[in-house]
Amino acid sequence: MRTAAASLARFTVQVFTPHVYVTYAILWVLSLEAAAAATTHTPWHPGAGTAVRCASAVLVLFYLRVVDEQKDLDYDREHNPDRPLVRGTVTVAQLRGAMAGVAVLLLALNAPLSPLSLIPLAVDLGYAWLLVVLERRSARIRDGLLVNLAVTHPVQLLLSAYVYLSLTDSTPVPARWTALPLLLVFACVFLHFEFARKTRWHNEPGSRMYSGVIGPVPSALVALGWAVLAAVLTAALLRDPRALLPCVLLAFPGTAALRFLRRRAPAWPVPAAMVFVVGFLLALLTSALLIQAAEPGGI
């Protein structure tokens, strides 16, 4: 038991980077909740339910990383021999035990708060595990980068759907049609980072880069397009001058795109993409809070 716990701890530090994923999960949940309340003119205060959703988001992201390690095992054996699963730092059995533990913990956390929210959670976990089978049986899904993105991205959408459903099921914030474009905002932010970190001028043989599939310039333009779409959707949803605050963050992908397209950088500057993700979520949270504060009665 101690050996398994130690192996999982080393695995977590190496591939999960807790401070990065925890920060991302918390900002994701807080900004989504605040924006959902702002679009419906409903007062919102983070509470115990928010804490449960933040913890659940971290657990799901960890679960997804565990699944990714198993999905990519064959590829990593050839291209990334330093990965913990390849080196034997952790075993497949230990990872699957961790997955089972995460599923049980998610059930215990969310069942008392919002039984309805267990549906997207269960679908998300089950679909993520199904991806392991799909990629082993289908070379097109496994090796086709764009096809793989289309097949795997629903795990991110389902996590946002869980947060929204749990929020509207357990608080006065009502469910509205604005949920769809709101969830799309978070999808766009994720996709910006996904394309940005896999865009470079020269692609090594065997590397999984969107720039190697559609070309460096189209890949850079797509990365920039996701960021712009996130800002435009936010402004259209919140319909308030304060909603322009996230638009200011477009300076980061805009500058990064110019540097890359002018060949001043061999690859899209990943730090700029990371700053955009964190900054955009913070700006969205701030904008939503300012909008609510301006409502009669404040927040």
Side-chain angles (χ1 to χ4, degrees):
M1 183 67 70
R2 291 181 180 178
T3 302
S7 296
L8 288 170
R10 289 193 295 270
F11 167 84
T12 301
V13 171
Q14 291 175 34
V15 307
F16 189 63
T17 321
H19 65 280
V20 173
Y21 282 91
V22 170
T23 300
Y24 175 55
I26 291 174
L27 287 177
W28 186 350
V29 172
L30 291 178
S31 56
L32 198 160
E33 290 194 7
T39 58
T40 57
H41 307 285
T42 307
W44 171 81
H45 302 277
T50 303
V52 168
R53 286 183 283 275
C54 286
S56 297
V58 173
L59 289 170
V60 172
L61 290 177
F62 175 73
Y63 182 99
L64 297 179
R65 284 298 304 124
V66 171
V67 169
D68 282 344
E69 286 298 305
Q70 296 173 75
K71 287 198 298 99
D72 298 339
L73 181 56
D74 291 337
Y75 177 86
D76 288 339
R77 281 175 175 151
E78 181 178 355
H79 300 282
N80 300 306
D82 60 333
R83 302 297 291 183
L85 189 55
V86 177
R87 289 191 291 110
T89 302
V90 68
T91 67
V92 171
Q94 288 169 340
L95 291 182
R96 291 181 180 176
M99 291 168 63
V102 167
V104 171
L105 187 53
L106 286 170
L107 174 65
L109 284 172
N110 289 277
L113 177 67
S114 170
L116 190 61
S117 69
L118 295 176
I119 296 174
L121 272 180
V123 174
D124 202 8
L125 301 188
Y127 183 72
W129 178 242
L130 177 63
L131 291 175
V132 177
V133 179
L134 289 176
E135 292 196 17
R136 287 177 179 173
R137 295 186 177 183
S138 172
R140 184 183 182 190
I141 294 176
R142 181 179 63 251
D143 301 328
L145 199 57
L146 295 176
V147 174
N148 186 268
L149 176 63
V151 172
T152 60
H153 186 61
V155 297
Q156 299 286 333
L157 294 173
L158 285 165
L159 183 51
S160 289
Y162 150 73
V163 174
Y164 187 86
L165 187 58
S166 176
L167 173 72
T168 57
D169 187 45
S170 61
T171 73
V173 177
R176 292 287 188 269
W177 67 269
T178 50
L180 295 178
L182 179 59
L183 299 191
L184 183 56
V185 167
F186 290 85
C188 290
V189 172
F190 170 82
L191 288 170
H192 164 71
F193 183 77
E194 173 69 9
F195 271 82
R197 72 188 183 94
K198 295 181 180 180
T199 295
R200 58 187 313 117
W201 284 108
H202 301 290
N203 303 284
E204 299 294 332
S207 63
R208 294 180 172 181
M209 296 286 163
Y210 295 110
S211 52
V213 177
I214 62 176
V217 172
S219 185
L221 293 177
V222 170
L224 178 62
W226 288 123
V228 172
L229 182 57
V232 170
L233 282 172
T234 298
L237 271 173
L238 298 182
R239 299 181 182 181
D240 188 283
R242 300 168 187 83
L244 296 177
L245 184 58
C247 297
V248 176
L249 273 297
L250 288 177
F252 290 96
T255 302
L258 285 176
R259 284 192 61 200
F260 179 78
L261 293 173
R262 291 176 177 176
R263 291 184 177 268
R264 294 179 180 176
W268 186 289
V270 175
M274 295 180 67
V275 170
F276 173 75
V277 171
V278 174
F280 187 91
L281 295 180
L282 278 171
L284 177 57
L285 172 61
T286 302
S287 296
L289 291 175
L290 290 174
I291 290 171
Q292 292 180 68
E295 294 281 343
I299 56 176

